[in-house]
Amino acid sequence: MNPLAYHVLLEGRRMGPYDRRTIVGLRIKNTLTSEHRLEASDGSRLSVAELVGRQTAAAQFNPMLSGSYSAAKATCSAWLIDRERGPAGIPAFRGEVEVRVHADVLRIAGRHRHGFALQDVRVKLPLNDIAFFRTEGSRLDLWLRSGDPQANPVVLQRLALDLFSDDAVRDLMQWIPGAQRWPEPSCVPVPSWVTVPVAAVSPFLWVAVFGVVMVAGLVLLVLLRRRF
C-alpha cells in the first residue's frame, strides 16, 4: 500500500504534493500551522493537526521498541524541541517521536543518531517524577524531579515537546494529574547542577576597596585646591 501524498490548500492554491514527513517538518518550522488544511491523494481533506495526530500501524505496536505490549492511556506524535542534560538521560531525538502515557510512566520513543547511523531508542520517565508543567499552544514543557524529593534544593530537569495541537496537549496532561503548573520564577527551585557556590568576601578585599577610595579622594582634593 503506497503512502498518501498531501497538497496544502493555501488561499485557493494547491501546493505540493508532500509526504507526511515533509508536512511534519513544515509544521515544526512554523511554515504551516496546525489549522492549515490538506487534501490527501485519496480525496479526503484534513488539517495538519489531524494528520500529525494519526498513528500508523507500525507506531501502534512495534516489538523492537516496546519489548512487550502494554496498553497506553494516551498516544500522540511530538517533536523534541529542547532538553536539559541530567539524570533522566533523555536522548537527542531526531525527527518525530511517539509519546505514550502508561499507568506509571511517560514513554518517548524515536530515533537517535549514534555514530553515523540512526537507531531506534526510547526513554521511560516515571509519572511521579513529573513535578511541573507549562503549556503554550502546542508546546509542552515538563520539569522532572530526580533523587530525593525532600532534598533542598530539589533537582529539576526540563524537556520541551511540540505536540502539534493544543488538543493533544490537553489530552496528554489529563493523564498526568500529579504535575503542577510551573510557578513564578521567584518560587522555582534551582537545579543543583547549575548552582554556583558564592565564596565569602574576604576582609582584605574591603580594606583594598577602602584604600582605593581614600587615594582617589585625596587626589581629587589636591586637584581642587590647585584650581582655586
Side-chain angles (χ1 to χ4, degrees):
M1 181 178 178
N2 294 327
L4 294 176
Y6 302 90
H7 284 86
V8 179
L9 305 180
L10 186 62
E11 298 179 354
R13 295 177 297 165
R14 297 173 73 251
M15 302 175 60
Y18 306 108
D19 59 12
R20 184 181 183 279
R21 182 183 296 273
T22 302
I23 295 295
V24 170
L26 293 173
R27 170 62 183 81
I28 290 299
K29 296 176 182 178
N30 293 321
T31 304
L32 295 176
T33 67
S34 297
E35 290 73 30
H36 273 108
R37 302 298 297 178
L38 306 172
E39 183 178 278
S41 54
D42 63 357
S44 61
R45 293 194 176 188
L46 68 167
S47 67
V48 172
E50 290 171 332
L51 172 64
V52 174
R54 290 181 174 178
Q55 298 297 317
T56 62
Q60 291 173 359
F61 176 68
N62 187 339
M64 295 300 294
L65 294 179
S66 301
S68 60
Y69 177 75
S70 61
K73 296 181 177 180
T75 303
C76 63
S77 299
W79 196 280
L80 181 65
I81 302 175
D82 190 20
R83 99 258 192 250
E84 292 179 345
R85 296 182 182 274
I90 302 170
F93 289 107
R94 304 293 295 270
E96 191 176 355
V97 300
E98 181 193 65
V99 180
R100 291 185 184 180
V101 181
H102 293 269
D104 55 351
V105 298
L106 179 71
R107 176 184 178 277
I108 304 176
R111 310 197 77 188
H112 168 63
R113 182 171 295 281
H114 183 76
F116 295 100
L118 290 175
Q119 295 183 350
D120 292 331
V121 294
R122 70 182 185 274
V123 61
K124 295 182 178 180
L125 309 173
L127 295 184
N128 291 336
D129 287 350
I130 302 178
F132 301 102
F133 75 96
R134 181 175 60 198
T135 63
E136 183 179 350
S138 62
R139 174 173 174 144
L140 173 64
D141 290 73
L142 298 174
W143 281 265
L144 313 172
R145 71 168 65 89
S146 59
D148 184 2
Q150 305 300 324
N152 188 18
V154 177
V155 179
L156 296 176
Q157 181 181 355
R158 183 181 64 87
L159 73 149
L161 298 165
D162 190 329
L163 273 60
F164 306 118
S165 73
D166 302 7
D167 291 339
V169 173
R170 287 191 292 268
D171 292 343
L172 184 70
M173 288 310 303
Q174 72 176 340
W175 298 108
I176 315 178
Q180 301 179 10
R181 286 200 171 272
W182 183 243
E184 294 299 325
S186 58
C187 304
V188 174
V190 180
S192 63
W193 58 78
V194 298
T195 301
V196 180
V198 180
V201 179
S202 172
F204 297 102
L205 178 60
W206 291 111
V207 173
V209 172
F210 182 75
V212 171
V213 173
M214 289 293 296
V215 171
L218 290 175
V219 171
L220 180 61
L221 180 62
V222 170
L223 292 176
L224 291 175
R225 293 188 62 179
R226 288 184 178 180
R227 183 174 180 180
F228 296 103

